[in-house]
Amino acid sequence: MRLQIYILISILQAFLQVFFQKLSIYAVKRDFFRNFVAKFRGLYLYNVKIPQIIVFGGVIVDLTLPVVMAIVNATPDSFYAGSRHVSADALMLTVDKAVADGAAILDVGGCSTRPGTAVPSAEEEWRRVSWTLSLIRAKYPDFPISVDTFRASVAERAVAEFGVGMINDISGGELDADLLPTMARLQVPYVLMHSKGTPQTMQQLTDYDDLIPDMLRYFADKIALLRRLGFDKEIVIDPGFGFAKTVEQNFELLRHLRVFGTFDLPVLAGISRKSMLYKTLDVQPESALNGTTAANMLALVGGASILRVHDVREAVETIKIYERTLVAGVKL
């Protein structure tokens, strides 16, 4: 009898999960339904994930279980000093360690996008990115690499000259009108992130009618636009922790991360050492690793498939604990 009750409850949970997912899809297209979904969005009971992959040229990254994306900064002004590199040897030490520690993807960025930072020219960004990619490709010719850029010119050259397999765009195509059409032409996987404004203005653009429904509408519209342009490769959803969001909004986003599974696309969580953590803990980014690990576990519970981090080993260990808990049959 107890087993039968458990089976009935599981069926009911699955039904409610699908119902509220479909309801959210409808809501992002219907303004008058927004408040209704806002009221019930916390009722997602369990995240039933569809197996997903990302194809990097000839390499497949399997997202059946979560993976780690390692941050490889080619910038002199990253908010976390520990990720800056002053020489080729220092950069390759970071890359070698990330690969050895279990990273599935290397994410190379040549333009710091921390709030208030000055954006370099396209030429300077490409100089940084190409220098970094040439070093990595000399040792790891086939390793999955994404490039963190909002510029079409940088994306196009990275794919053409270094076989980069994914573009990670903080702007959803808002900072370069050519980027989304370029993605449709390049046909490589694309990380679609939520933000508003520029790095100089985004922290003054934190007003929303209702954060989660507004973001759902944003992603629905951007995904539809990409498909209309002819882009048919993998899209990864990045809710954009720290971008045009207050500390409180970032934690609201983390609490409701599961809702972005609505789109049946992989979700990337980039929380590593960010201000939502170090401001909450009253520490500097250098002392925010413990907070990062805690936040990453919450992101995994919320359905994240990719953890974008500075500290690969700790993130891999977090995923192992998460996986072991699932194997033990504990619902999160």
Side-chain angles (χ1 to χ4, degrees), residues 14 23 37 68 78 94 117 128 146 167 217 221 324 328-329 331:
L23 187 61
V37 171
V68 173
S78 173
T94 294
T117 192
R128 298 171 181 177
S146 68
I167 299 301
R217 181 180 296 103
D221 290 344
R324 188 62 179 266
K331 286 191 177 182

Side-chain angles (χ1 to χ4, degrees), residues 266-287:
V267 174
L268 182 153
I271 317 175
S272 182
R273 297 181 181 268
K274 285 190 173 177
S275 62
M276 63 179 283
L277 304 177
Y278 66 75
K279 288 181 178 179
T280 297
L281 300 174
D282 194 22
V283 297
Q284 295 301 306
E286 289 72 19
S287 301

Side-chain angles (χ1 to χ4, degrees), residues 10-210:
S10 297
I11 292 172
L12 179 60
Q13 287 177 327
F15 171 80
L16 288 174
Q17 173 72 10
V18 172
F19 174 76
F20 284 112
Q21 285 181 343
K22 300 303 181 185
L23 187 61
S24 292
I25 294 172
Y26 182 76
V28 297
K29 294 297 186 183
R30 296 291 185 270
D31 285 343
F32 66 86
F33 229 61
R34 180 195 302 195
N35 290 335
F36 181 80
V37 171
K39 181 177 180 180
F40 285 100
R41 66 188 181 213
L43 292 181
Y44 286 85
L45 299 175
Y46 191 66
N47 187 26
V48 181
K49 298 183 71 173
I50 297 173
Q52 296 163 330
I53 62 171
I54 303 177
V55 180
F56 288 77
V59 179
I60 295 175
V61 174
D62 185 358
L63 302 181
T64 301
L65 295 173
V67 301
V68 173
M69 171 189 278
I71 297 169
V72 182
N73 280 325
T75 61
D77 53 352
S78 173
F79 78 92
Y80 172 46
S83 68
R84 302 170 194 164
H85 303 103
V86 296
S87 69
D89 287 344
L91 185 138
M92 287 309 297
L93 280 174
T94 294
V95 171
D96 289 342
K97 187 175 189 305
V99 172
D101 285 348
I105 305 165
L106 300 175
D107 189 45
V108 174
C111 175
S112 178
T113 51
R114 65 177 179 176
T117 192
V119 175
S121 68
E123 293 75 15
E124 174 60 18
E125 181 184 357
W126 176 246
R127 186 193 67 79
R128 298 171 181 177
V129 169
S130 60
W131 175 76
T132 304
L133 290 175
S134 64
L135 291 170
I136 296 173
R137 280 297 185 226
K139 187 169 185 179
Y140 301 102
D142 299 316
F143 199 89
I145 296 177
S146 68
V147 163
D148 181 355
T149 185
F150 59 79
R151 288 184 166 121
S153 61
V154 173
E156 187 144 30
R157 294 188 69 177
V159 173
E161 298 180 27
F162 293 98
V164 163
M166 185 163 71
I167 299 301
N168 181 8
D169 171 24
I170 66 157
S171 76
E174 294 291 331
L175 296 181
D176 185 341
D178 291 331
L179 183 62
L180 297 188
T182 297
M183 293 307 306
R185 187 171 66 257
L186 294 175
Q187 293 293 339
V188 298
Y190 175 65
V191 180
L192 170 63
M193 199 188 84
H194 174 270
S195 187
K196 294 195 292 185
T198 68
Q200 291 79 22
T201 64
M202 62 185 176
Q203 291 312 111
Q204 286 76 55
L205 300 173
T206 58
D207 291 335
Y208 298 87
D209 291 334
D210 196 335

Side-chain angles (χ1 to χ4, degrees), residues 229-250:
L229 290 170
F231 182 78
D232 62 4
K233 297 301 182 182
E234 300 92 334
I235 298 173
V236 177
I237 298 292
D238 181 352
F241 289 97
F243 288 80
K245 298 170 189 73
T246 65
V247 170
E248 292 75 16
Q249 288 168 338
N250 283 312

